[in-house]
Amino acid sequence: TAEIVIQGAANGQTAADSLTVTVNPVDDPPFVAAPLPDITANEADPDMTVSLDGVFGDIDNDVSDMIITAKSSDTSLVIAAADGSELYLFFRPDKIGKAAVTVVAWSGDKSVTDEFEITVGRRMFAFSGRILYYKNSIPISGIPVILEGTDSYTGQPVTETAYTDEDGEYVFSGVLPGDYTLAPSETAPVPVRPTATDASQIGRYAIGAYAFDEQQKTAADVTENGTVSGTDASFVARYATGAIPSVNDQGKIWKFEPALLELSPEADIENQDFTALMLGDVSGNYSGDSTRSFVYREDAAEITAYSGDILSVPVVLNDEMLVEGIDLTAVFDGTVLEARGISLTGTVLAGSG
């Protein structure tokens, strides 16, 4: 209320009057001070509580006196309810989709509305593990691991591939619920091959002159017929020298323990590990390095030769030792020299083939 006085003057005379102005109070409506953000969840998430503190404001009344209600546009997906300064979201099991959640704040007989969208997505999981070598636990890189199965949402087949890294680790992410198998590829390329020593040991085992553990037996059975024989030794010997492109007729290079894993995830799964055996490598000296051969050089010689000359290079073992296999590699300029062969005549290896 305010009093306003009006005065006037004329010919030395004055007059005054007053009036009273009364401004009656008006209840201003509440307002949205901080809109609620959209929410993304998945069907495996627990029910959610969202604070409503600071969301609504009212310049005339106490915010704590507001009455707040909430409603979901799709109660088959999510149920919304409000109690004081908290909003509750209750997710329906095994449901995905989108819903609009409307929150209404009442102050007296006036109200304000805020709305946001909630998206409920499918559960997704991750699988991970490592592949290590059977003898020395060296990580095996570059091995494709195949994930196959059927996701439980659509019933559609799923096939994915992950490759092991330098630490031998593979990871699958974003895997939907379902029934799956994991299996490393038995035909994955490898930069090295078994050696003549491996062929010798397999041959000696086949005649009962050498002992293998169970993993060596698996590696020795390159033909995969359930037994270790001279045929396996022959395959390894020819493969080691490059005479045949594969260590067996099936084109397989690896065996893995276990051969595959069966998974039906309800959460992320780690430590799904495999042990790798390279077929033919019974000595277990795999290194993954194509330059793994050992070279011993005690001296070097310079030889002068002319076109048409035949050069021979003797290989001498000075110490008495059991020879299980010898791998020889000759590196030369093919535009100058031509390899003619190896002669075993008059040596301790004469007649060995």
Side-chain angles (χ1 to χ4, degrees):
T1 299
E3 182 180 11
I4 300 175
V5 177
I6 303 173
Q7 289 183 335
N11 300 321
Q13 300 294 316
T14 62
D17 198 0
S18 65
L19 59 91
T20 300
V21 177
T22 301
V23 179
N24 294 320
V26 175
D27 187 10
D28 293 302
F31 57 90
V32 177
L36 289 165
D38 292 339
I39 293 176
T40 299
N42 70 57
E43 60 177 329
D45 285 348
D47 295 335
M48 189 179 297
T49 300
V50 179
S51 174
L52 296 177
D53 287 340
V55 174
F56 300 105
D58 191 333
I59 61 174
D60 296 318
N61 302 297
D62 194 330
V63 173
S64 63
D65 293 332
M66 286 184 177
I67 297 174
I68 300 177
T69 62
K71 182 179 180 180
S72 168
S73 65
D74 185 355
T75 56
S76 69
L77 177 68
V78 61
I79 296 175
D83 181 12
S85 61
E86 292 185 325
L87 170 67
Y88 302 103
L89 300 173
F90 304 97
F91 299 110
R92 297 288 196 176
D94 301 320
K95 295 291 184 180
I96 60 173
K98 293 184 178 182
V101 176
T102 303
V103 183
V104 180
W106 289 87
S107 179
D109 60 351
K110 295 179 174 59
S111 66
V112 66
T113 299
D114 188 23
E115 185 174 285
F116 65 93
E117 185 176 77
I118 182 165
T119 302
V120 181
R122 292 172 173 173
R123 291 177 295 169
M124 292 187 179
F125 306 114
F127 304 154
S128 63
R130 299 183 74 196
I131 299 180
L132 304 178
Y133 204 59
Y134 82 105
K135 277 289 188 180
N136 46 27
S137 296
I138 288 177
I140 310 296
S141 62
I143 298 291
V145 181
I146 316 306
L147 168 72
E148 293 183 317
T150 304
D151 82 66
S152 58
Y153 287 110
T154 65
Q156 295 297 311
V158 175
T159 301
E160 297 182 16
T161 302
Y163 290 82
T164 54
D165 61 17
E166 61 183 10
D167 295 319
E169 185 171 3
Y170 68 90
V171 177
F172 290 94
S173 58
V175 181
L176 296 171
D179 299 317
Y180 301 98
T181 61
L182 284 175
S185 171
E186 295 181 336
T187 59
V190 63
V192 296
R193 298 187 178 201
T195 66
T197 299
D198 295 307
S200 172
Q201 290 182 0
I202 293 171
R204 294 169 62 205
Y205 173 82
I207 62 174
Y210 205 84
F212 283 160
D213 61 27
E214 291 302 315
Q215 288 182 316
Q216 287 176 304
K217 292 177 187 178
T218 299
D221 182 18
V222 299
T223 56
E224 297 193 296
N225 63 359
T227 62
V228 178
S229 67
T231 301
D232 296 298
S234 173
F235 267 105
V236 173
R238 288 181 292 153
Y239 180 58
T241 60
I244 55 176
S246 177
V247 76
N248 54 36
D249 291 334
Q250 300 93 316
K252 293 183 179 180
I253 298 174
W254 299 97
K255 293 291 287 186
F256 296 96
E257 297 178 349
L260 60 81
L261 294 169
E262 296 181 349
L263 304 172
S264 298
E266 295 183 356
D268 293 344
I269 304 177
E270 301 177 340
N271 303 318
Q272 301 303 292
D273 301 333
F274 296 90
T275 298
L277 302 88
M278 185 174 69
L279 288 173
D281 183 22
V282 293
S283 58
N285 60 356
Y286 170 86
S287 70
D289 183 357
S290 59
T291 61
R292 67 180 179 136
S293 301
F294 296 101
V295 178
Y296 299 95
R297 174 175 293 176
E298 295 183 357
D299 53 32
E302 293 185 4
I303 300 175
T304 301
Y306 300 94
S307 178
D309 286 354
I310 297 177
L311 304 178
S312 61
V313 179
V315 178
V316 179
L317 300 178
N318 293 321
D319 299 324
E320 292 185 5
M321 63 182 67
L322 173 65
V323 178
E324 292 186 310
I326 298 176
D327 294 275
L328 299 177
T329 302
V331 180
F332 56 87
D333 185 345
T335 63
V336 178
L337 299 175
E338 177 186 6
R340 291 293 182 89
I342 297 176
S343 175
L344 302 178
T345 303
T347 73
V348 294
L349 299 178
S352 62

